[in-house]
Amino acid sequence: MRSRRFAPEIFLTWVAARTHTIRIGHGVVCMPFNFNHPVRVAERAAMLDLLSGGRLDLGAGRGGTEQETSLCGVDRERTTAEVEEALRIIGKAWQEEELEHHGALLDISPHPILPRPVQTPHPPLFLACSRAETLVRAAEWGVGALVMGFAGPESIAGMRAVYDAAVAGRDGSAFVSTVVNDHFSVLCPTIVLDDPEEARRIGVRGQRFFAQSIGHWYGGAGVPDEAVVAGSDEAAEMRRAAEQVVARLNEQYIPVRPTATATFNADHAYGSADDAIAYVERLRRAGADEVMCLIQMGTVPQEACLETLRQWGEKVIPHFSGRGI
């Protein structure tokens, strides 16, 4: 869950109180200082780790759109540096009786940081990664990678290779903490129903809305068109939407990366439980240590979300029990 205004700790605390074994994940806390002071992030994370019995994973991100940054006065040019310094502060917040930090951007005199988390010295740290440079940064910082998986398993394999090469080549001088996390977690868009065709229709339409929203906020594209023409081919609609994003990016003289339309790829875990299992197997072979299910994509009905969670819990996850992914 993304943390800026939506107070996900409240929801995640509710989840933690009703579960016993699943991990509780922030994907991500926006960590530029005007969004969230790093010490407050550390304190909230520790409380959630306590309440969940040591099940928290803590992801960091920049929250870099103008729509996000303008509300809180975040300097978009400083977000990368602020995220790094925030992770360094969190990485040492419980290493001593008092936290003292004198960095390039923040100066903190000695303060005790309470409460302390169950996991020592802190919950595993992750970084949201959508480009090769952020994958390298995550590896050099010694934090796990939260990877957008819209482009599919082949792209994931390439991203894993970049991450692994950076892990192999690092010397440890840039680690943000004394504990290293090399976990590679991949987004998996999914809708699973008894009717595979209906699952695919709902999933692709939801992804189209999600992708157009990203195009709107990050690339200046138009407002998402959630009114799909009855009987239209969803994949064709996705391709047309992708072409519109490329055209708008070119109009604004923004360099178009190969991943610019990756969110419009419709080949994901949409269909039956067997379809989802087969897709996760492809992600596993591509190098995923874990998948993060993306289900609620704007136009997806609540009953489809709940049924997808049920089918994953009863059919998909048990297939991989004891094997990792």
Side-chain angles (χ1 to χ4, degrees):
M1 299 188 69
R2 195 159 189 160
S3 176
R4 179 176 60 96
R5 289 178 290 167
F6 304 114
E9 288 90 354
I10 295 173
F11 171 73
L12 292 176
T13 300
W14 184 88
V15 171
R18 285 159 175 78
T19 58
H20 301 284
T21 58
I22 65 171
R23 294 195 64 80
I24 310 299
H26 268 299
V28 297
V29 178
C30 294
M31 290 198 184
F33 305 153
N34 280 25
F35 285 145
N36 292 288
H37 191 284
V39 171
R40 294 291 294 124
V41 174
E43 292 171 341
R44 296 199 307 264
M47 179 59 75
L48 184 51
D49 198 51
L50 280 168
L51 294 175
S52 66
R55 291 184 281 142
L56 178 66
D57 291 335
L58 182 61
R62 296 190 304 121
T65 70
E66 184 177 357
Q67 187 265 353
E68 291 175 297
T69 56
S70 60
L71 176 68
C72 298
V74 172
D75 183 345
R76 295 170 71 182
E77 299 302 316
R78 283 172 41 122
T79 53
T80 297
E82 290 185 2
V83 168
E84 178 180 2
E85 190 152 333
L87 284 172
R88 295 191 181 282
I89 292 169
I90 293 167
K92 65 179 181 180
W94 300 279
Q95 303 276 5
E96 304 290 342
E97 286 301 311
E98 292 185 322
L99 168 69
E100 183 174 2
H101 175 81
H102 305 289
L105 304 175
L106 276 182
D107 195 76
I108 301 172
S109 60
H111 281 79
I113 306 301
L114 298 170
R116 292 180 178 271
V118 173
Q119 299 175 90
T120 55
H122 52 72
L125 301 177
F126 291 82
L127 181 69
C129 300
S130 59
R131 303 185 305 276
E133 50 263 45
T134 49
L135 286 164
V136 171
R137 196 173 294 136
E140 291 178 343
W141 293 352
V143 302
L146 301 176
V147 178
M148 296 286 279
F150 282 114
E154 292 73 20
S155 174
I156 292 300
M159 297 176 80
R160 180 71 201 229
V162 170
Y163 185 69
D164 286 348
V167 167
R170 69 193 179 190
D171 60 10
S173 61
F175 286 169
V176 299
S177 177
T178 57
V179 59
V180 173
N181 175 29
D182 290 334
H183 202 71
F184 193 81
S185 186
V186 175
L187 196 69
C188 177
T190 181
I191 298 293
V192 176
L193 305 173
D194 288 334
D195 183 342
E197 291 306 314
E198 178 69 358
R200 180 170 176 79
R201 185 192 69 79
I202 291 173
V204 173
R205 183 188 180 192
Q207 186 185 327
R208 177 171 172 244
F209 176 85
F210 188 90
Q212 287 185 323
S213 298
I214 291 176
H216 174 67
W217 293 114
Y218 281 88
V223 174
D225 174 21
E226 61 177 290
V228 178
V229 178
S232 65
D233 178 78
E234 295 283 356
E237 289 289 333
M238 291 276 281
R239 287 192 295 273
R240 282 193 286 271
E243 291 167 359
Q244 292 170 6
V245 169
V246 170
R248 183 59 63 91
L249 290 172
N250 281 324
E251 286 175 9
Q252 295 188 346
Y253 303 103
I254 297 173
V256 180
R257 298 172 178 265
T259 56
T261 59
T263 46
F264 293 91
N265 167 45
D267 179 20
H268 295 299
Y270 302 138
S272 66
D274 286 342
D275 293 328
I277 288 169
Y279 187 78
V280 175
E281 287 283 10
R282 292 172 62 195
L283 292 178
R284 180 183 62 82
R285 291 192 296 271
D289 294 320
E290 175 186 33
V291 296
M292 303 174 286
C293 292
L294 176 62
I295 300 169
Q296 191 179 38
M297 296 178 283
T299 63
V300 177
Q302 176 70 353
E303 58 269 22
C305 294
L306 295 176
E307 178 63 13
T308 297
L309 290 172
R310 187 185 70 80
Q311 296 240 7
W312 269 76
E314 294 181 358
K315 299 177 182 179
V316 181
I317 293 174
H319 176 83
F320 297 98
S321 295
R323 297 174 49 193
I325 284 183

